[in-house]
Amino acid sequence: HAKGLIEVVPNRFHYNNAINAWANSRNGNSGIRAEALLNAMGREEIIKPDTVSYNACIDAYAKNGNEEEAKRLLRAMEKSYECADNMLCKPNRKSYNSVINAYAKSSKKDAALNAESLLRRMNEVGVTPDSFSFATLMNAWGRSMEYGKAERVLQLYREMLHLYKEGIQELRPNVVVFNSMINACAYTTGDLLEQQKAMSIANYAFRELDQSSFDKPDQITYGTFFKVCQNQIPPGEVRRQIVNVMFQKCIRDGQLGKFVFDQLKLAASEEQFLSLIGVEINDVNWSDIPEDWRCNVRENVSR
């Protein structure tokens, strides 16, 4: 095209495919390369970037852990649409969820607060969050070192449940949401009171999931709950009893997957492990696990 071949004029479809290819690559400069293509589109009046173009570019930065660059591009997208410079690039749920997810994977101090500000921003601009938005925000809080994060994810769950009951079907809780709650409890740090709150909220989340019509516990649920036991309850009779009850329910549900198996080794004492599995903890193999204990496990399922 640059050499005058009109027949090979690139269009928006071609640009978007190229940007998306960079977003899905493992290249450390994929965000920069994707944005270069986005800017090239912006210089062409007839093929201005659209929402798909921006989302793919945001995703490229997000996948590389460049949450601030992803957020900068989202702000540019908002501004371009709000100022009527480009009415093709209205931000949608994916735009915001991609940046929230980038913050959820960040180890920076204010990542959870930044992620939550984006969810609130969605409401301001009329974009409805979905269960992924809330679950990802819960993950951001779970990864943070903020005090009271278990209570914060509980508040988020109650907020989304209220909105769901008000008629927002996109906010129907699912197993991923409950697993995110339990995960935040597993990684809660602080004094004894904070640990007790985390254990109580993990119990609540598990019961809420198990007794609801939303979904049912999976191996991630059970494995993460065992991690809560390991991190929040000191070795002793209380921990032994809770691990025993959860193990019995886990095998009845056929959810003793490899993740559960690994977490059980850490949560149970060697004596308890032997009584539950029937094999010494240092001698056990995956083949020792009865088929009916793991018949409902879906391994390698992305959460």
Side-chain angles (χ1 to χ4, degrees):
H1 173 63
K3 293 182 178 180
L5 295 176
I6 300 175
E7 295 83 357
V8 292
V9 176
N11 58 30
R12 186 177 295 113
F13 176 79
H14 299 134
Y15 273 105
N16 285 352
N17 276 348
I19 294 171
N20 196 54
W22 279 114
N24 291 323
S25 75
R26 297 177 181 272
N27 190 293
N29 293 318
S30 61
I32 295 171
R33 300 298 294 270
E35 188 170 4
L37 289 169
L38 188 78
N39 292 335
M41 294 177 75
R43 291 191 292 270
E44 300 281 351
E45 186 64 30
I46 61 172
I47 51 171
K48 283 186 175 181
D50 60 5
T51 300
V52 174
S53 317
Y54 272 95
N55 283 353
C57 195
I58 287 171
D59 203 34
Y61 277 123
K63 286 179 177 178
N64 272 340
N66 294 326
E67 64 274 7
E68 295 302 329
E69 291 300 307
K71 183 178 179 179
R72 174 185 60 78
L73 209 54
L74 175 61
R75 292 293 187 236
M77 186 182 186
E78 288 180 328
K79 183 178 179 181
S80 184
Y81 179 77
E82 290 168 0
C83 295
D85 291 337
N86 183 358
M87 301 305 291
L88 297 175
C89 67
K90 183 179 181 180
N92 61 16
R93 186 183 296 136
K94 179 175 171 56
S95 313
Y96 291 94
N97 281 352
S98 292
V99 186
I100 292 172
N101 193 37
Y103 277 114
K105 296 175 180 178
S106 173
S107 58
K108 293 181 180 177
K109 182 180 178 181
D110 294 330
L113 294 171
N114 283 317
E116 183 147 353
S117 71
L118 285 167
L119 186 134
R120 303 307 168 196
R121 175 67 177 163
M122 293 174 77
N123 292 321
E124 292 172 4
V125 299
V127 177
T128 304
D130 60 4
S131 59
F132 180 83
S133 313
F134 273 83
T136 308
L137 177 54
M138 290 176 184
N139 287 336
W141 280 105
R143 190 179 178 88
S144 77
M145 297 302 293
E146 299 287 341
Y147 186 85
K149 63 186 179 183
E151 292 178 285
R152 185 70 196 109
V153 298
L154 177 59
Q155 291 168 358
L156 288 169
Y157 167 69
R158 288 173 171 165
E159 177 185 345
M160 73 175 292
L161 182 62
H162 171 74
L163 292 170
Y164 170 70
K165 290 179 178 179
E166 289 288 308
I168 303 178
Q169 294 300 308
E170 295 92 338
L171 289 175
R172 187 179 193 274
N174 56 31
V175 66
V176 179
V177 170
F178 291 101
N179 289 349
S180 297
M181 292 174 65
I182 296 170
N183 185 67
C185 296
Y187 289 100
T188 291
T189 58
D191 55 23
L192 180 60
L193 178 60
E194 189 74 357
Q195 289 181 300
Q196 290 173 340
K197 287 179 181 177
M199 192 69 230
S200 176
I201 291 168
N203 272 315
Y204 168 82
F206 183 88
R207 289 196 309 271
E208 187 85 349
L209 170 61
D210 190 46
Q211 297 171 9
S212 75
S213 60
F214 297 135
D215 222 330
K216 290 301 174 186
D218 62 7
Q219 77 144 331
I220 304 298
T221 314
Y222 284 105
T224 309
F225 195 93
F226 283 136
K227 186 180 287 289
V228 176
C229 295
Q230 177 199 348
N231 291 347
Q232 308 303 350
I233 310 175
E237 183 61 20
V238 172
R239 180 157 134 185
R240 189 193 69 78
Q241 289 182 7
I242 293 175
V243 168
N244 186 64
V245 169
M246 292 301 293
F247 174 81
Q248 297 301 328
K249 178 158 180 48
C250 179
I251 62 174
R252 285 198 302 272
D253 288 350
Q255 291 290 353
L256 188 60
K258 292 180 180 179
F259 177 64
V260 181
F261 186 65
D262 290 340
Q263 297 306 314
L264 178 64
K265 288 183 189 179
L266 299 172
S269 65
E270 292 186 10
E271 179 184 1
Q272 184 179 19
F273 187 89
L274 175 61
S275 71
L276 295 174
I277 302 295
V279 183
E280 294 279 357
I281 195 168
N282 294 322
D283 299 329
V284 68
N285 294 308
W286 183 241
S287 58
D288 295 320
I289 305 301
E291 178 63 31
D292 60 325
W293 289 9
R294 49 191 168 99
C295 59
N296 294 319
V297 172
R298 293 185 298 163
E299 296 285 3
N300 302 317
V301 175
S302 176
R303 291 302 187 190

